[in-house]
Amino acid sequence: MAGFSDDCQWWWDGTTWIATSQIVIPDLPPTEHAKELGPRVARFKALDSAALAGSFVDLGPLIFGWLFWYRRAFRTYREWTIEQLHAAAGYLLGPNEPVMAADVGLFAELLIGWTWGGYGVVVTAGHVLVLANDKPLGHPQKVLLAADPRQVQMRLHAGGILNAYPTILISAGGQVWPIRGMNGIIKPEPVIAAWRQAVTARPAVSSA
């Protein structure tokens, strides 16, 4: 059975201990809900790729179409990616530690170009995970943080003008990971509430 060591520096894959920083999460079978979302994600990705390939002048109608539908697209991306985070957490932690809450950083800044976040956070009763990928909208591949919830601090940061980019700031061991999203898309409150619940449900521990 998979799982992390008590200090979360090592991960047992069923046969061997692997340094947490060296974990490579493989492509995992999609959940049933991810399969349902797949065709919608593919359509939005095709529109996004077309917008990236052209100019605002040449692709004006396409860009405005994307602007009109982008909130629906990002909600779909978020929902689809959270399904992948659930699958990755199951792979890393096993079936007996269900996900309490998860979210992913996804955002676009139209004045400087299309930009996608690559961090996701997962909270369970025993762990906080920060996962990342190397490719935009790819599946989670790396474990940037695995920690006992009591060793983690988490807060909401209002980013951008009029809180355009709400950000979950996760800190542990002197490092900070921003889970940056767009207002109305990301939902930080359930993640932070789950982390607080996990902290209060476990005995106190000294800070590292």
Side-chain angles (χ1 to χ4, degrees), residues 122-141:
V122 175
V123 179
T124 71
H127 293 88
V128 173
L129 305 176
V130 176
L131 308 179
N133 57 56
D134 289 328
K135 298 182 295 183
L137 298 175
H139 75 276
Q141 295 174 306

Side-chain angles (χ1 to χ4, degrees), residues 112-128:
I112 65 172
W114 303 94
T115 307
W116 302 91
Y119 293 167
V121 58
V122 175
V123 179
T124 71
H127 293 88
V128 173

Side-chain angles (χ1 to χ4, degrees), residues 139-153:
H139 75 276
Q141 295 174 306
K142 298 179 179 180
V143 180
L144 302 184
L145 172 70
D148 186 302
R150 299 165 296 181
Q151 301 291 348
V152 173
Q153 292 297 316

Side-chain angles (χ1 to χ4, degrees), residues 16 19 29 63 69-71 74 85 96 101-102 106 108 110 116 119 127 153-155 159 179 192 207:
T16 305
I63 295 295
W69 292 107
Y70 86 97
R71 296 187 74 83
F74 272 87
L85 293 176
N96 297 321
L106 291 172
L110 298 179
W116 302 91
Y119 293 167
H127 293 88
Q153 292 297 316
M154 196 177 297
R155 66 183 178 90
I179 312 297
I192 295 175
S207 299

Side-chain angles (χ1 to χ4, degrees), residues 21-105:
S21 61
Q22 300 301 311
I23 295 172
V24 178
I25 302 171
D27 286 322
L28 300 170
T31 65
E32 290 303 314
H33 189 43
K35 290 179 182 177
E36 294 173 2
L37 292 169
R40 291 165 57 193
V41 169
R43 289 196 297 271
F44 287 128
K45 287 177 73 173
L47 179 60
D48 181 49
S49 297
L52 282 168
S55 69
F56 281 92
V57 174
D58 296 335
L59 292 172
L62 186 61
I63 295 295
F64 283 112
W66 169 252
L67 290 173
F68 183 76
W69 292 107
Y70 86 97
R71 296 187 74 83
R72 180 179 296 181
F74 272 87
R75 289 191 181 102
T76 302
Y77 281 135
R78 174 183 174 273
E79 193 174 353
W80 178 70
T81 307
I82 286 175
E83 288 294 307
Q84 297 182 66
L85 293 176
H86 276 253
Y91 173 78
L92 294 169
L93 300 171
N96 297 321
E97 193 172 334
V99 174
M100 298 170 62
D103 219 316
V104 61

